Amino acid sequence: MTFPKDFLWGGATAANQFEGGWNEDGKLDSTADHLTLGSRTSARRFTEDFEEGEVYPSHKASDFYHHYKEDIALLGELGLKMFRMSVNWTRIFPEGDEEKPNQEGIKFYRSVFTELKKYNIEPLVTISHYEMPFCLSKKYDGWYSRELIGFYLKYCKVLFTEYKGLVKYWLTFNEINSGILEGDAYFSQGIYSSKHKDMGAGTTGLNAEEMEAYKRSLQDDLKKQYQAMHHMLVASAEAVQMGHSIDPEYRIGCMIAGICQYPYTCHPEDMLLIQRERRNVFFYCSDIMVRGEYPHYSRRFFREHDICIRMEEGDAEILKNGTVDFYSFSYYSTGCVSSQPAGETTEGNLIFGVKNPYLETSQWGWQIDPRGLRYFLGEIYDRYRIPMMVVENGLGQHDVLEEDGTVHDPYRIEYMKKHIEAMSEAIEDGVDLIGYTPWGIIDLAAASTGEMAKRYGVIYVDADDHGNGTYNRYRKDSFFWYRDVIAKGRKTE
Ligand code: BG6
């Protein structure tokens, strides 16, 4: 296997799925804190008030808030070079529009970053990962309001100045392109007016006619989502410029949901469809964030979907001057698109697609495709030619904690091994891949369902979906295997 000596071997988490301590030390509720536990077959629900007896997975999550020293020591033992984590916006600005930040929140992350430094682990900080102050969502309709740009930049300024010297790598938004997917308006952009529709939650019990009306309302939401996305892209570009001016050493990247799809057949209609899909859902945001301008194909898309984005003077220049330093994405699985009604469908990260007959699926129905990772790394690098990171990848699976504290997870080792081999091939192909942070390196709550049972980690957390358990940490077999890979990887030229 070929990996450069300074390759950033890592692991990834996100505050709302991992940190817990949701209302401690001045923190207030975030958009994520209002989502209940769901499952593969029942969508998570938004609730305005917290219902007695209902589970809200982000409230305790894996309780990193009270375990961070022990967790970071384990990551040190694993030999990690990079730890991807996010800051809970509500820990720094509990309401989002107040003047002064919450000092307790600032102190917490300083302790975390200092602890990481002790083990020579570089943090990769996602500034906003599927959460924002609930107050900003309710009062302003989230990112639909242009005012959010100012609140976000105020928050960024605190992070960039407070943690100068402790953090070098930043991501402005997690999976920013998820914001333009149908039914992700609240989850991804905090759009309060769409709060009951996320992840299919709004479809329960609708008859055919109501279903049609519901679909039409999603189309209207899409217009709002594109406007919100414009605000996020401007905010991101401004944050990049601000970060560079505060510390020229900062490396600030985009983070794209790897909606990686193939044409189902070689029919020319399928080829045209895949081109359109890739552009519209996969490349749209990164084309703007890497190249600094709206892509040529967006004009036709906007015209056909009756989308008219309100831009202000100076926005184009901001986008131009705030391009990112590196590209990062999540990669779990692939699916197919077909211009004709075709076969079975498959689940996957954020979207459903047509099943690929050549691939196996995980317990949660996501198709496993390591060779696709090599292919997509090549495609993306051809397009952008900037350094790349795979900042999420992994197998969400049930694990069994044995009585002696071991967890045997050969399936995860197999998954990671094949994906690491694919990355090695991509590097051989010439891709400038600088880091890999597999998802949920320590078990955490799933984003789509809120389940703890869907485990990704090489470190097991003894907690179930309902928050029962000791919350003790255990090394899985994959822990020792990954530790070896990292140790060997470092020695390879
Ligand atoms: C990505 C998100 O969509 O996929 C993560 O950035 C998420 O937050 C991950 O956890 C895996 O999805 P899930 O639903 O299995 O947790």
Side-chain angles (χ1 to χ4, degrees):
M1 280 196 298
T2 307
F3 283 94
K5 247 194 187 139
D6 54 358
F7 189 74
L8 295 163
W9 293 101
T13 59
N16 82 82
Q17 294 166 250
F18 185 53
E19 198 176 273
W22 73 289
N23 59 359
E24 290 182 49
D25 302 322
K27 182 188 175 299
L28 289 181
D29 48 329
S30 71
T31 44
D33 292 330
H34 287 262
L35 294 176
T36 65
L37 173 67
S39 70
R40 198 174 157 190
T41 48
S42 65
R44 302 182 72 180
R45 279 186 311 123
F46 166 89
T47 72
E48 181 88 35
D49 301 315
F50 300 114
E51 296 172 2
E52 192 73 31
E54 187 51 272
V55 178
Y56 296 88
S58 62
H59 290 195
K60 187 157 183 193
S62 307
D63 204 23
F64 177 68
Y65 196 66
H66 299 107
H67 286 78
Y68 71 92
K69 288 202 175 162
E70 168 195 352
D71 283 349
I72 293 170
L74 278 167
L75 300 179
E77 186 186 324
L78 190 56
L80 286 203
K81 295 266 284 174
M82 172 167 269
F83 178 52
R84 177 178 175 222
M85 53 176 279
S86 73
V87 171
N88 240 320
W89 189 339
T90 44
R91 223 175 264 299
I92 306 295
F93 284 103
E95 299 198 8
D97 58 358
E98 63 271 70
E99 273 312 306
K100 297 238 176 310
N102 171 29
Q103 290 304 325
E104 285 296 303
I106 294 178
K107 205 166 92 193
F108 171 67
Y109 293 109
R110 175 162 300 112
S111 311
V112 171
F113 297 143
T114 308
E115 202 64 20
L116 286 168
K117 214 178 174 77
K118 241 167 68 183
Y119 295 91
N120 287 321
I121 302 174
E122 192 82 61
L124 167 61
V125 177
T126 317
I127 295 172
S128 178
H129 189 127
Y130 290 151
E131 45 66 39
M132 67 160 66
F134 184 63
C135 287
L136 291 185
S137 169
K138 194 166 176 179
K139 219 158 135 182
Y140 300 87
D141 215 11
W143 278 101
Y144 185 52
S145 160
R146 192 169 172 110
E147 281 183 86
L148 260 281
I149 299 175
F151 301 134
Y152 176 81
L153 290 174
K154 187 174 58 169
Y155 163 53
C156 288
K157 193 168 179 194
V158 171
L159 302 186
F160 291 152
T161 49
E162 290 287 343
Y163 304 126
K164 193 172 165 176
L166 286 171
V167 178
K168 174 176 172 188
Y169 294 94
W170 305 89
L171 299 170
T172 51
F173 291 99
N174 180 61
E175 295 193 329
I176 187 167
N177 53 326
S178 65
I180 47 170
L181 297 180
E182 227 176 48
D184 264 341
Y186 173 79
F187 183 67
S188 183
Q189 300 179 313
I191 299 184
Y192 182 78
S193 48
S194 301
K195 59 191 178 296
H196 290 299
K197 298 185 194 163
D198 271 0
M199 296 176 266
T203 54
T204 320
L206 299 187
N207 63 33
E209 203 179 307
E210 288 163 341
M211 193 65 192
E212 273 316 301
Y214 177 78
K215 282 190 183 150
R216 279 196 303 277
S217 81
L218 285 185
Q219 282 302 313
D220 288 340
D221 285 1
L222 216 53
K223 292 177 192 156
K224 277 194 181 176
Q225 287 173 257
Y226 273 89
Q227 183 63 49
M229 182 55 71
H230 178 70
H231 299 149
M232 292 170 85
L233 291 164
V234 170
S236 172
E238 286 211 63
V240 170
Q241 291 182 67
M242 180 202 283
H244 288 157
S245 72
I246 291 173
D247 186 345
E249 290 296 302
Y250 280 160
R251 291 293 166 267
I252 307 173
C254 62
M255 166 22 175
I256 304 295
I259 300 173
C260 295
Q261 297 171 307
Y262 300 125
Y264 190 57
T265 71
C266 53
H267 192 294
E269 281 302 334
D270 280 1
M271 294 310 292
L272 282 167
L273 181 63
I274 191 70
Q275 185 184 55
R276 211 160 56 228
E277 283 288 307
R278 276 196 193 160
R279 284 170 168 175
N280 292 343
V281 296
F282 188 38
F283 288 133
Y284 175 77
C285 294
S286 47
D287 276 356
I288 300 169
M289 298 171 97
V290 179
R291 294 168 161 169
E293 59 188 23
Y294 272 83
H296 63 279
Y297 53 82
S298 61
R299 278 196 293 275
R300 178 167 189 173
F301 180 82
F302 292 159
R303 203 170 54 240
E304 289 178 351
H305 291 79
D306 197 21
I307 292 170
C308 176
I309 296 180
R310 289 186 308 278
M311 299 196 194
E312 285 191 2
E313 221 187 304
D315 283 1
E317 213 184 325
I318 293 169
L319 295 177
K320 195 84 227 147
N321 295 331
T323 54
V324 290
D325 301 313
F326 64 95
Y327 172 100
S328 80
F329 75 129
S330 56
Y331 182 88
Y332 294 93
S333 58
T334 58
C336 299
V337 294
S338 173
S339 55
Q340 306 298 318
E344 265 182 88
T345 57
T346 179
E347 292 160 64
N349 185 21
L350 302 163
I351 52 145
F352 285 69
V354 178
K355 205 167 163 61
N356 183 335
Y358 303 103
L359 300 177
E360 288 176 7
T361 51
S362 75
Q363 286 176 346
W364 266 260
W366 295 16
Q367 297 190 128
I368 302 169
D369 184 11
R371 277 172 299 179
L373 179 55
R374 176 182 177 186
Y375 171 75
F376 281 99
L377 281 167
E379 288 296 291
I380 301 163
Y381 190 63
D382 279 353
R383 197 172 182 106
Y384 300 134
R385 307 300 303 257
I386 59 172
M388 296 180 65
M389 288 193 207
V390 177
V391 293
E392 284 187 32
N393 169 246
L395 182 67
Q397 191 96 354
H398 288 287
D399 287 328
V400 178
L401 176 64
E402 306 288 350
E403 273 181 15
D404 61 358
T406 55
V407 177
H408 305 301
D409 58 345
Y411 35 86
R412 184 165 296 108
I413 295 176
E414 183 66 8
Y415 180 101
M416 290 175 78
K417 182 170 178 285
K418 293 228 167 95
H419 284 80
I420 290 172
E421 281 166 5
M423 290 189 301
S424 157
E425 290 294 333
I427 293 173
E428 287 283 357
D429 293 339
V431 173
D432 186 8
L433 182 66
I434 61 169
Y436 174 58
T437 60
W439 181 244
I441 194 78
I442 301 177
D443 287 345
L444 39 66
S448 52
T449 61
E451 296 163 292
M452 277 299 290
K454 190 180 184 189
R455 297 173 183 277
Y456 286 91
V458 302
I459 296 165
Y460 185 93
V461 175
D462 177 30
D464 69 12
D465 292 347
H466 298 269
N468 305 309
T470 60
Y471 284 77
N472 289 340
R473 279 48 176 159
Y474 297 89
R475 296 165 190 80
K476 301 183 193 177
D477 288 353
S478 54
F479 176 94
F480 302 104
W481 174 83
Y482 190 39
R483 192 182 63 182
D484 258 24
V485 169
I486 297 175
K488 287 191 193 121
R490 277 182 184 174
K491 285 186 203 120
T492 320
E493 278 309 315

